[in-house]
Amino acid sequence: MRYYLGIDLGGTNTKAGVVDDQGRILHKDRIKTFAMRDQYEIVRDMGLLGQRVIEASGIPLSGIAAIGVGSPGTSNNETGELIFTGNLSFRHMPIREEFHKMFNLPFFIGNDANVAALAESVSGAAKGSRSSVTITLGTGVGGGFVLSDRIYSGFNQAGCEIGHHVLIVGGEPCTCGRNGCFEAYSSASALIRDTMRAAGENPDSMLNRLIEENGGKADGRTAFIARDAGDAIGAAVVDRYIDLLAEGLANVINMLMPEVIAIGGGISHEGESLLEPVRERALSRGFLAAGVVKPRIVLAQMGNDAGIVGAAMMARGCLEDGLVG
């Protein structure tokens, strides 16, 4: 049995765990990232967390085959450089070089959404499939494409930004600087925006009472709660959200035709009340002739462990492929 250290670098928390080669976590822990600090301080604390987790797991350092890190933004796994992160201070960080000062172990890095997709492929909702896409509906829309147990992210490791294909030209502004992106309509942030907008336009809607009870703020559940209570405005917000989400998924199907699409993130907690209509609409709009086997659209399973497991499994794959870390 081989073991790996998987680290999930996030804007709020950094998580780490020792993972076996079947994707099972032996021990895990987390710390606050304190994202506005200098990048070298953050990396130092990542290393200290990793050392602590390895020690607590009972696996000797000599039993750890490699280290994998999943990070927001764009990285270069050939050079071991974290090039850019949007919500952290990293700019051209030689992260492999810094980790080699703390660990005499191969080190690999990849995008956080991509490694989460790998976790679903190895241990979660897409286990056993040859191709899968995992899409996370959170503050943004993250996504990753896995083909035969390997992440596909383009020649420069910056590809598969699924949240940034355009649904509506000239539409809602997106965080990437364009307008009308999938993320601008299908993220939790977009749903909250549309809920607040609908409440303001319809003062008699139950949305307003729910928002008032929540301290004047909507969240990703507000429109769903109103819909389930029979509120027509809440139902309209949810229906439009589902329709645009399905449209984006139909595009993903047509572009990649994966065997499985796993949906995760906060909005996915609505379960089948979200997924059933999304599945029906997305599959009916995909370029799927009669008799063609359709992709399965399912709920992601890995939850908060996806980053740890995916980073570790990325490191495993890199070793298997003979890459030098």
Side-chain angles (χ1 to χ4, degrees):
M1 184 73 72
R2 303 177 81 184
Y3 301 94
Y4 305 86
L5 175 65
I7 301 177
D8 179 12
L9 173 62
T12 302
N13 296 303
T14 297
K15 296 172 281 188
V18 173
V19 182
D20 70 17
D21 55 13
Q22 301 301 307
R24 296 173 296 217
I25 297 176
L26 278 69
H27 182 76
K28 62 181 178 180
D29 201 352
R30 68 169 63 197
I31 57 173
K32 292 292 184 184
T33 303
F34 299 113
M36 299 311 295
R37 294 185 297 158
D38 179 79
Q39 58 187 2
Y40 285 91
E41 292 182 20
I42 295 173
V43 170
R44 178 203 63 202
D45 285 353
M46 290 167 65
L48 292 173
L49 174 64
Q51 291 171 348
R52 189 166 76 238
V53 166
I54 292 171
E55 183 176 351
S57 74
I59 303 298
L61 186 59
S62 60
I64 304 297
I67 299 170
V69 169
S71 166
T74 301
S75 56
N76 185 327
N77 203 18
E78 294 181 5
T79 64
E81 182 184 27
L82 182 46
I83 298 170
F84 170 83
T85 58
N87 60 348
L88 290 161
S89 60
F90 289 85
R91 300 293 185 273
H92 296 284
M93 172 66 185
I95 190 167
R96 176 179 290 149
E97 179 181 316
E98 291 303 305
F99 261 80
H100 281 172
K101 295 176 182 177
M102 297 178 277
F103 300 89
N104 185 26
L105 290 169
F107 175 92
F108 304 98
I109 186 166
N111 175 267
D112 54 355
N114 290 337
V115 302
L118 183 59
E120 292 293 342
S121 175
V122 172
S123 302
K127 184 177 181 179
S129 67
R130 290 187 57 80
S131 63
S132 62
V133 170
T134 297
I135 295 175
T136 305
L137 308 175
T139 304
V141 172
F145 179 42
V146 176
L147 184 63
S148 298
D149 292 332
R150 295 294 185 269
I151 295 166
Y152 179 78
S153 56
F155 81 97
N156 59 2
Q157 300 175 55
C160 284
E161 288 288 349
I162 289 170
H164 299 292
H165 73 269
V166 170
L167 286 181
I168 300 174
V169 174
E172 297 284 352
C174 183
T175 55
C176 73
R178 298 174 77 196
N179 290 78
C181 290
F182 187 28
E183 178 171 300
Y185 293 99
S186 296
S187 63
S189 304
L191 178 56
I192 291 167
R193 176 201 67 215
D194 290 348
T195 301
M196 292 294 291
R197 187 178 290 168
E201 294 171 352
N202 298 275
D204 295 331
S205 168
M206 182 184 292
L207 293 174
N208 291 281
R209 178 171 62 80
L210 294 171
I211 290 168
E212 183 179 354
E213 291 172 354
N214 196 40
K217 298 179 180 179
D219 59 32
R221 296 203 62 221
T222 304
F224 283 95
I225 293 170
R227 179 199 67 173
D228 294 345
D231 182 74
I233 303 303
V237 171
V238 170
D239 187 70
R240 183 171 186 268
Y241 177 81
I242 286 172
D243 203 60
L244 289 165
L245 175 57
E247 198 71 33
L249 293 183
N251 290 343
V252 171
I253 290 169
N254 291 344
M255 286 185 285
L256 300 174
M257 203 58 71
E259 186 178 343
V260 177
I261 297 177
I263 306 295
I267 304 299
S268 73
H269 295 159
E270 296 299 326
E272 282 297 318
S273 72
L274 168 75
L275 217 59
E276 184 177 358
V278 165
R279 186 185 293 122
E280 179 182 350
R281 297 183 200 187
L283 294 177
S284 70
R285 297 170 189 174
F287 194 68
L288 296 159
V292 174
V293 178
K294 294 177 170 59
R296 292 187 292 118
I297 301 176
V298 300
L299 292 172
Q301 297 176 355
M302 295 301 294
N304 290 330
D305 290 337
I308 293 173
V309 173
M313 294 299 94
M314 174 196 62
R316 182 193 71 175
C318 288
L319 284 186
E320 290 174 354
D321 291 342
L323 300 182
V324 177

